[in-house]
Amino acid sequence: MTPTLRILYRGPLSSCNYGCEYCPFAKHTEIDAEHDADRRALDRFVAWVGEQRDRRISVLFTPWGEALVRKRYQDAIVTLTNMEHVEKIAIQTNLSCRLDWVERCDKSKLGLWATYHPGEVAREKFLAQCRDADRRGVRFSVGSVGLKEHQEDIAALRDALPEHIYLWVNAYKRQMDYYTPDEIARYTQIDSLFPINTERHPSEGEPCQAGQTAISVDGDGVMRRCHFVRDPIGNIYDSNFADALQPRLCKNETCGCHIGYVHMDRLGQYELYGDGLLERIPVKPVWRALPMSP
Ligand code: SF4
Ligand code: SF4
């Protein structure tokens, strides 16, 4: 049987209800025509997935901005999780939306990648959303960018979350040598997998599943290996799109983002995450191994 095709979908949407100061989509709104274009692209993608009945498919939505505040994305996920040949539908979200729509999903196939933005939402409010998702039986990971000034807040979130929920920390890599050894140790106590994310992994010439069993797809159906190698390799709306799914070596010098490097063969991340790969939930609760310091 052909291996599951994992698709990172990013359509034209580029707006968000939050205002993170480092983000180009902060508080950005779109005109009706832009929303219509995003809706058409999304509808076409969902219909295409529905037609691929001879192939197992998983999707991670990685929108520019926040998609789950839009009913069309909630409906798309409901539809996709209820397709028999679909294995997993996951989405990156700030978790600010109401969650009643998840009841229409096949929740065994749903995964949320929920990011906490300490400057945008009170911790208690975000935690209430996490508890709601947990009560509804949704599988999700929670995480945040590990800025120095947010360390206490993220530690407090870890303490307050139910133990079975994984909290990841994304290393801030825009500044060289940003962390002191103590800060790395502290974030590693919060997320035992933090050290993997602090590195830009040398990737040039490395075998990677991106382009073979994982692809990135935009609103026009253009296929790329991943979000980080810009050359198109085909288009899912062409009847022969599958011809492009071939083993390839990485062309980039390094790969520093979780949604990319998990597909590099040598890092062994498929074994670590298993079927929680897209929503970033490790198979074993590795995060419980490290007791928090007082
Ligand atoms: S929640 Fe995400 S998309 Fe929205 S402004 Fe913040 S970083 Fe940008
Ligand atoms: S190693 Fe990273 S950048 Fe290179 S192909 Fe794989 S996902 Fe893309």
PDB file of all heavy atoms in Angstrom, residues 92-114:
ATOM      1  N   GLN A  92      -2.655  24.380  12.918  1.00  0.00           N
ATOM      2  CA  GLN A  92      -1.992  25.303  13.837  1.00  0.00           C
ATOM      3  C   GLN A  92      -2.972  26.436  14.150  1.00  0.00           C
ATOM      4  O   GLN A  92      -3.547  27.036  13.247  1.00  0.00           O
ATOM      5  CB  GLN A  92      -0.724  25.872  13.199  1.00  0.00           C
ATOM      6  CG  GLN A  92       0.313  24.800  12.921  1.00  0.00           C
ATOM      7  CD  GLN A  92       1.572  25.348  12.265  1.00  0.00           C
ATOM      8  OE1 GLN A  92       1.512  26.252  11.443  1.00  0.00           O
ATOM      9  NE2 GLN A  92       2.710  24.779  12.604  1.00  0.00           N
ATOM     10  N   THR A  93      -3.141  26.716  15.423  1.00  0.00           N
ATOM     11  CA  THR A  93      -4.169  27.679  15.826  1.00  0.00           C
ATOM     12  C   THR A  93      -3.764  28.397  17.112  1.00  0.00           C
ATOM     13  O   THR A  93      -3.011  27.842  17.919  1.00  0.00           O
ATOM     14  CB  THR A  93      -5.520  26.958  16.046  1.00  0.00           C
ATOM     15  OG1 THR A  93      -6.472  27.877  16.591  1.00  0.00           O
ATOM     16  CG2 THR A  93      -5.410  25.774  16.986  1.00  0.00           C
ATOM     17  N   ASN A  94      -4.308  29.584  17.292  1.00  0.00           N
ATOM     18  CA  ASN A  94      -4.097  30.253  18.587  1.00  0.00           C
ATOM     19  C   ASN A  94      -5.177  29.843  19.600  1.00  0.00           C
ATOM     20  O   ASN A  94      -5.184  30.333  20.723  1.00  0.00           O
ATOM     21  CB  ASN A  94      -4.019  31.786  18.420  1.00  0.00           C
ATOM     22  CG  ASN A  94      -5.301  32.402  17.844  1.00  0.00           C
ATOM     23  OD1 ASN A  94      -6.387  31.838  17.959  1.00  0.00           O
ATOM     24  ND2 ASN A  94      -5.160  33.590  17.247  1.00  0.00           N
ATOM     25  N   LEU A  95      -6.054  28.981  19.208  1.00  0.00           N
ATOM     26  CA  LEU A  95      -7.089  28.378  20.055  1.00  0.00           C
ATOM     27  C   LEU A  95      -8.049  29.421  20.649  1.00  0.00           C
ATOM     28  O   LEU A  95      -8.590  29.244  21.736  1.00  0.00           O
ATOM     29  CB  LEU A  95      -6.449  27.548  21.185  1.00  0.00           C
ATOM     30  CG  LEU A  95      -7.288  26.390  21.759  1.00  0.00           C
ATOM     31  CD1 LEU A  95      -7.566  25.344  20.712  1.00  0.00           C
ATOM     32  CD2 LEU A  95      -6.596  25.728  22.952  1.00  0.00           C
ATOM     33  N   SER A  96      -8.276  30.489  19.908  1.00  0.00           N
ATOM     34  CA  SER A  96      -9.170  31.525  20.428  1.00  0.00           C
ATOM     35  C   SER A  96     -10.630  31.271  20.036  1.00  0.00           C
ATOM     36  O   SER A  96     -11.531  31.941  20.543  1.00  0.00           O
ATOM     37  CB  SER A  96      -8.732  32.904  19.913  1.00  0.00           C
ATOM     38  OG  SER A  96      -8.749  32.924  18.494  1.00  0.00           O
ATOM     39  N   CYS A  97     -10.864  30.323  19.141  1.00  0.00           N
ATOM     40  CA  CYS A  97     -12.239  30.129  18.648  1.00  0.00           C
ATOM     41  C   CYS A  97     -13.068  29.280  19.615  1.00  0.00           C
ATOM     42  O   CYS A  97     -12.527  28.566  20.457  1.00  0.00           O
ATOM     43  CB  CYS A  97     -12.195  29.426  17.291  1.00  0.00           C
ATOM     44  SG  CYS A  97     -11.611  27.731  17.384  1.00  0.00           S
ATOM     45  N   ARG A  98     -14.377  29.350  19.459  1.00  0.00           N
ATOM     46  CA  ARG A  98     -15.263  28.407  20.157  1.00  0.00           C
ATOM     47  C   ARG A  98     -14.994  27.008  19.613  1.00  0.00           C
ATOM     48  O   ARG A  98     -14.598  26.847  18.462  1.00  0.00           O
ATOM     49  CB  ARG A  98     -16.723  28.764  19.877  1.00  0.00           C
ATOM     50  CG  ARG A  98     -17.205  30.012  20.578  1.00  0.00           C
ATOM     51  CD  ARG A  98     -18.605  30.340  20.066  1.00  0.00           C
ATOM     52  NE  ARG A  98     -19.496  29.200  20.274  1.00  0.00           N
ATOM     53  CZ  ARG A  98     -20.330  29.084  21.296  1.00  0.00           C
ATOM     54  NH1 ARG A  98     -20.412  30.049  22.171  1.00  0.00           N
ATOM     55  NH2 ARG A  98     -21.104  28.037  21.429  1.00  0.00           N
ATOM     56  N   LEU A  99     -15.228  26.002  20.452  1.00  0.00           N
ATOM     57  CA  LEU A  99     -14.842  24.653  20.045  1.00  0.00           C
ATOM     58  C   LEU A  99     -16.032  23.709  19.808  1.00  0.00           C
ATOM     59  O   LEU A  99     -15.841  22.515  19.607  1.00  0.00           O
ATOM     60  CB  LEU A  99     -13.907  24.042  21.088  1.00  0.00           C
ATOM     61  CG  LEU A  99     -12.512  24.675  21.122  1.00  0.00           C
ATOM     62  CD1 LEU A  99     -11.710  24.174  22.321  1.00  0.00           C
ATOM     63  CD2 LEU A  99     -11.753  24.386  19.834  1.00  0.00           C
ATOM     64  N   ASP A 100     -17.241  24.255  19.811  1.00  0.00           N
ATOM     65  CA  ASP A 100     -18.395  23.357  19.652  1.00  0.00           C
ATOM     66  C   ASP A 100     -18.373  22.592  18.324  1.00  0.00           C
ATOM     67  O   ASP A 100     -18.858  21.468  18.229  1.00  0.00           O
ATOM     68  CB  ASP A 100     -19.718  24.121  19.830  1.00  0.00           C
ATOM     69  CG  ASP A 100     -19.724  25.479  19.163  1.00  0.00           C
ATOM     70  OD1 ASP A 100     -18.661  25.908  18.656  1.00  0.00           O
ATOM     71  OD2 ASP A 100     -20.780  26.116  19.132  1.00  0.00           O
ATOM     72  N   TRP A 101     -17.779  23.173  17.282  1.00  0.00           N
ATOM     73  CA  TRP A 101     -17.737  22.533  15.968  1.00  0.00           C
ATOM     74  C   TRP A 101     -16.996  21.196  15.994  1.00  0.00           C
ATOM     75  O   TRP A 101     -17.243  20.340  15.140  1.00  0.00           O
ATOM     76  CB  TRP A 101     -17.090  23.475  14.935  1.00  0.00           C
ATOM     77  CG  TRP A 101     -15.677  23.848  15.289  1.00  0.00           C
ATOM     78  CD1 TRP A 101     -15.289  24.885  16.090  1.00  0.00           C
ATOM     79  CD2 TRP A 101     -14.486  23.177  14.900  1.00  0.00           C
ATOM     80  NE1 TRP A 101     -13.921  24.907  16.219  1.00  0.00           N
ATOM     81  CE2 TRP A 101     -13.408  23.863  15.488  1.00  0.00           C
ATOM     82  CE3 TRP A 101     -14.205  22.063  14.102  1.00  0.00           C
ATOM     83  CZ2 TRP A 101     -12.078  23.478  15.324  1.00  0.00           C
ATOM     84  CZ3 TRP A 101     -12.894  21.668  13.925  1.00  0.00           C
ATOM     85  CH2 TRP A 101     -11.850  22.372  14.529  1.00  0.00           C
ATOM     86  N   VAL A 102     -16.095  21.000  16.969  1.00  0.00           N
ATOM     87  CA  VAL A 102     -15.324  19.741  16.961  1.00  0.00           C
ATOM     88  C   VAL A 102     -16.232  18.533  17.168  1.00  0.00           C
ATOM     89  O   VAL A 102     -15.875  17.413  16.814  1.00  0.00           O
ATOM     90  CB  VAL A 102     -14.169  19.718  18.003  1.00  0.00           C
ATOM     91  CG1 VAL A 102     -13.240  20.910  17.827  1.00  0.00           C
ATOM     92  CG2 VAL A 102     -14.694  19.613  19.426  1.00  0.00           C
ATOM     93  N   GLU A 103     -17.419  18.789  17.748  1.00  0.00           N
ATOM     94  CA  GLU A 103     -18.334  17.663  17.983  1.00  0.00           C
ATOM     95  C   GLU A 103     -18.825  17.039  16.675  1.00  0.00           C
ATOM     96  O   GLU A 103     -19.320  15.923  16.667  1.00  0.00           O
ATOM     97  CB  GLU A 103     -19.532  18.115  18.842  1.00  0.00           C
ATOM     98  CG  GLU A 103     -19.141  18.680  20.200  1.00  0.00           C
ATOM     99  CD  GLU A 103     -18.313  17.705  21.031  1.00  0.00           C
ATOM    100  OE1 GLU A 103     -18.438  16.488  20.833  1.00  0.00           O
ATOM    101  OE2 GLU A 103     -17.519  18.181  21.864  1.00  0.00           O
ATOM    102  N   ARG A 104     -18.714  17.788  15.578  1.00  0.00           N
ATOM    103  CA  ARG A 104     -19.133  17.242  14.271  1.00  0.00           C
ATOM    104  C   ARG A 104     -18.002  16.477  13.582  1.00  0.00           C
ATOM    105  O   ARG A 104     -18.187  15.876  12.540  1.00  0.00           O
ATOM    106  CB  ARG A 104     -19.630  18.376  13.369  1.00  0.00           C
ATOM    107  CG  ARG A 104     -20.913  19.036  13.892  1.00  0.00           C
ATOM    108  CD  ARG A 104     -21.430  20.069  12.896  1.00  0.00           C
ATOM    109  NE  ARG A 104     -20.648  21.286  12.891  1.00  0.00           N
ATOM    110  CZ  ARG A 104     -20.154  21.871  11.806  1.00  0.00           C
ATOM    111  NH1 ARG A 104     -20.344  21.360  10.615  1.00  0.00           N
ATOM    112  NH2 ARG A 104     -19.451  22.987  11.899  1.00  0.00           N
ATOM    113  N   CYS A 105     -16.806  16.542  14.160  1.00  0.00           N
ATOM    114  CA  CYS A 105     -15.644  15.846  13.572  1.00  0.00           C
ATOM    115  C   CYS A 105     -15.614  14.390  14.011  1.00  0.00           C
ATOM    116  O   CYS A 105     -16.178  14.027  15.053  1.00  0.00           O
ATOM    117  CB  CYS A 105     -14.340  16.472  14.069  1.00  0.00           C
ATOM    118  SG  CYS A 105     -14.010  18.127  13.467  1.00  0.00           S
ATOM    119  N   ASP A 106     -14.899  13.556  13.260  1.00  0.00           N
ATOM    120  CA  ASP A 106     -14.442  12.282  13.795  1.00  0.00           C
ATOM    121  C   ASP A 106     -13.212  12.648  14.627  1.00  0.00           C
ATOM    122  O   ASP A 106     -12.111  12.854  14.099  1.00  0.00           O
ATOM    123  CB  ASP A 106     -14.082  11.318  12.665  1.00  0.00           C
ATOM    124  CG  ASP A 106     -13.545  10.002  13.210  1.00  0.00           C
ATOM    125  OD1 ASP A 106     -13.152   9.959  14.391  1.00  0.00           O
ATOM    126  OD2 ASP A 106     -13.506   9.023  12.445  1.00  0.00           O
ATOM    127  N   LYS A 107     -13.414  12.756  15.939  1.00  0.00           N
ATOM    128  CA  LYS A 107     -12.348  13.308  16.792  1.00  0.00           C
ATOM    129  C   LYS A 107     -11.127  12.404  16.863  1.00  0.00           C
ATOM    130  O   LYS A 107     -10.051  12.852  17.226  1.00  0.00           O
ATOM    131  CB  LYS A 107     -12.901  13.594  18.199  1.00  0.00           C
ATOM    132  CG  LYS A 107     -13.791  14.826  18.224  1.00  0.00           C
ATOM    133  CD  LYS A 107     -14.175  15.207  19.630  1.00  0.00           C
ATOM    134  CE  LYS A 107     -15.598  14.858  19.901  1.00  0.00           C
ATOM    135  NZ  LYS A 107     -16.057  15.217  21.245  1.00  0.00           N
ATOM    136  N   SER A 108     -11.291  11.148  16.497  1.00  0.00           N
ATOM    137  CA  SER A 108     -10.127  10.251  16.510  1.00  0.00           C
ATOM    138  C   SER A 108      -9.125  10.659  15.427  1.00  0.00           C
ATOM    139  O   SER A 108      -7.979  10.231  15.433  1.00  0.00           O
ATOM    140  CB  SER A 108     -10.566   8.802  16.302  1.00  0.00           C
ATOM    141  OG  SER A 108     -11.036   8.619  14.982  1.00  0.00           O
ATOM    142  N   LYS A 109      -9.569  11.509  14.481  1.00  0.00           N
ATOM    143  CA  LYS A 109      -8.678  11.931  13.391  1.00  0.00           C
ATOM    144  C   LYS A 109      -8.291  13.405  13.496  1.00  0.00           C
ATOM    145  O   LYS A 109      -7.673  13.947  12.590  1.00  0.00           O
ATOM    146  CB  LYS A 109      -9.366  11.698  12.043  1.00  0.00           C
ATOM    147  CG  LYS A 109      -9.688  10.250  11.771  1.00  0.00           C
ATOM    148  CD  LYS A 109     -10.323  10.152  10.402  1.00  0.00           C
ATOM    149  CE  LYS A 109     -10.734   8.726  10.105  1.00  0.00           C
ATOM    150  NZ  LYS A 109     -11.360   8.637   8.777  1.00  0.00           N
ATOM    151  N   LEU A 110      -8.702  14.044  14.555  1.00  0.00           N
ATOM    152  CA  LEU A 110      -8.474  15.489  14.692  1.00  0.00           C
ATOM    153  C   LEU A 110      -7.282  15.764  15.603  1.00  0.00           C
ATOM    154  O   LEU A 110      -7.114  15.105  16.630  1.00  0.00           O
ATOM    155  CB  LEU A 110      -9.735  16.136  15.285  1.00  0.00           C
ATOM    156  CG  LEU A 110      -9.672  17.625  15.613  1.00  0.00           C
ATOM    157  CD1 LEU A 110      -9.495  18.457  14.336  1.00  0.00           C
ATOM    158  CD2 LEU A 110     -10.956  18.060  16.343  1.00  0.00           C
ATOM    159  N   GLY A 111      -6.446  16.710  15.219  1.00  0.00           N
ATOM    160  CA  GLY A 111      -5.332  17.134  16.079  1.00  0.00           C
ATOM    161  C   GLY A 111      -5.191  18.640  16.039  1.00  0.00           C
ATOM    162  O   GLY A 111      -5.304  19.254  14.972  1.00  0.00           O
ATOM    163  N   LEU A 112      -4.982  19.257  17.174  1.00  0.00           N
ATOM    164  CA  LEU A 112      -4.768  20.710  17.211  1.00  0.00           C
ATOM    165  C   LEU A 112      -3.353  20.996  17.697  1.00  0.00           C
ATOM    166  O   LEU A 112      -2.863  20.357  18.625  1.00  0.00           O
ATOM    167  CB  LEU A 112      -5.777  21.393  18.148  1.00  0.00           C
ATOM    168  CG  LEU A 112      -7.258  21.236  17.819  1.00  0.00           C
ATOM    169  CD1 LEU A 112      -8.115  21.996  18.838  1.00  0.00           C
ATOM    170  CD2 LEU A 112      -7.573  21.723  16.404  1.00  0.00           C
ATOM    171  N   TRP A 113      -2.745  21.961  17.061  1.00  0.00           N
ATOM    172  CA  TRP A 113      -1.414  22.465  17.436  1.00  0.00           C
ATOM    173  C   TRP A 113      -1.706  23.865  17.969  1.00  0.00           C
ATOM    174  O   TRP A 113      -1.922  24.794  17.192  1.00  0.00           O
ATOM    175  CB  TRP A 113      -0.550  22.465  16.185  1.00  0.00           C
ATOM    176  CG  TRP A 113       0.692  23.278  16.156  1.00  0.00           C
ATOM    177  CD1 TRP A 113       0.849  24.575  16.530  1.00  0.00           C
ATOM    178  CD2 TRP A 113       1.977  22.839  15.660  1.00  0.00           C
ATOM    179  NE1 TRP A 113       2.147  24.975  16.295  1.00  0.00           N
ATOM    180  CE2 TRP A 113       2.845  23.932  15.775  1.00  0.00           C
ATOM    181  CE3 TRP A 113       2.458  21.648  15.135  1.00  0.00           C
ATOM    182  CZ2 TRP A 113       4.177  23.862  15.372  1.00  0.00           C
ATOM    183  CZ3 TRP A 113       3.774  21.585  14.736  1.00  0.00           C
ATOM    184  CH2 TRP A 113       4.629  22.669  14.862  1.00  0.00           C
ATOM    185  N   ALA A 114      -1.819  23.982  19.273  1.00  0.00           N
ATOM    186  CA  ALA A 114      -2.309  25.231  19.869  1.00  0.00           C
ATOM    187  C   ALA A 114      -1.143  26.066  20.407  1.00  0.00           C
ATOM    188  O   ALA A 114      -0.373  25.595  21.238  1.00  0.00           O
ATOM    189  CB  ALA A 114      -3.280  24.900  21.006  1.00  0.00           C
TER     190      ALA A 114
END
